[in-house]
């Protein structure tokens, strides 16, 4: 094998990158113009999107981000590694957003036990669960007095 190798670019990937640059709001106008010029030289168009489509995409992304941020605050309220001060702040943010953040303690201990046993039964029948985990589930169910594993 020769010590020199020539790198060739995949034209389809180059075109995809140029189109992405044209549609990326973080790319400068000058860079977008250069990308459009290169696409034109390659016999391609940028498939322009309308400002309304751009705005809708940005709105959806912002909304998804906000939901993820609020999920993080909700998780922080019950994380034992989060300080009480941080938990208090998280509860304040959730309250301001109108999000219920208290743990649901409405079900009984019996209902909790029923759900745990159901989870172990489901694990036994789940093809994605390891053999060791299935064996642990069988042992737990047997120790809990469960004989019907269907």
């Amino acid at each position: 094998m020769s010590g020199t190798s020539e790198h060739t670019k995949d034209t389809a990937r180059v075109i995809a990158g140029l189109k992405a640059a044209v549609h990326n709001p973080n790319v400068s106008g000058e860079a977008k113009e250069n990308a459009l010029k290169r696409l034109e030289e390659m016999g391609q168009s940028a498939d322009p999107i309308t400002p309304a489509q751009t705005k809708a995409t940005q709105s959806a992304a912002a909304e998804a981000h906000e939901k993820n941020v609020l999920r993080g605050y909700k998780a922080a309220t019950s994380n034992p590694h989060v300080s009480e001060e941080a938990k208090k702040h998280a509860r304040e943010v959730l309250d301001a957003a109108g999000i219920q953040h208290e743990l649901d303690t409405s079900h009984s201990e019996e209902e909790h036990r029923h759900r745990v046993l159901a989870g172990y039964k489901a694990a036994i029948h789940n093809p994605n669960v390891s053999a060791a985990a299935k064996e642990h589930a069988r042992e737990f169910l047997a120790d809990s007095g469960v004989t019907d594993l269907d």
Side-chain angles (χ1 to χ4, degrees), residues 30-62:
E30 182 181 349
K32 288 181 182 186
E33 287 177 28
N34 288 337
L36 284 169
K37 184 178 176 183
R38 285 197 57 205
L39 283 168
E40 187 178 311
E41 290 169 358
M42 298 172 85
Q44 299 289 318
S45 73
D47 302 322
I49 58 175
T50 66
Q53 289 171 318
T54 301
K55 187 174 182 177
T57 301
Q58 289 171 343
S59 275

Side-chain angles (χ1 to χ4, degrees), residues 12-142:
R13 298 288 29 137
V14 171
I15 291 169
L18 292 169
K19 287 182 178 184
V22 170
H23 297 299
N24 186 336
N26 297 320
V27 172
S28 71
E30 182 181 349
K32 288 181 182 186
E33 287 177 28
N34 288 337
L36 284 169
K37 184 178 176 183
R38 285 197 57 205
L39 283 168
E40 187 178 311
E41 290 169 358
M42 298 172 85
Q44 299 289 318
S45 73
D47 302 322
I49 58 175
T50 66
Q53 289 171 318
T54 301
K55 187 174 182 177
T57 301
Q58 289 171 343
S59 275
E63 185 176 325
H65 175 72
E66 180 64 20
K67 286 181 180 179
N68 285 337
V69 168
L70 291 173
R71 281 189 197 105
Y73 280 117
K74 190 167 185 177
T77 63
S78 59
N79 185 334
H81 301 291
V82 173
S83 70
E84 284 306 313
E85 182 180 341
K87 287 180 181 183
K88 181 180 181 232
H89 173 71
R91 285 190 286 274
E92 290 170 357
V93 170
L94 292 168
D95 287 341
I99 306 287
Q100 187 261 340
H101 54 84
E102 299 301 320
L103 293 176
D104 181 12
T105 58
S106 62
H107 50 266
S108 68
E109 195 61 36
E110 180 59 29
E111 186 174 357
H112 173 72
R113 181 180 181 280
H114 177 76
R115 290 180 180 182
V116 169
L117 295 175
Y120 278 112
K121 283 183 180 182
I124 291 171
H125 301 290
N126 185 336
N128 297 321
V129 173
S130 71
K134 287 181 181 186
E135 183 58 32
H136 172 75
R138 283 186 191 91
E139 290 171 6
F140 184 90
L141 289 167

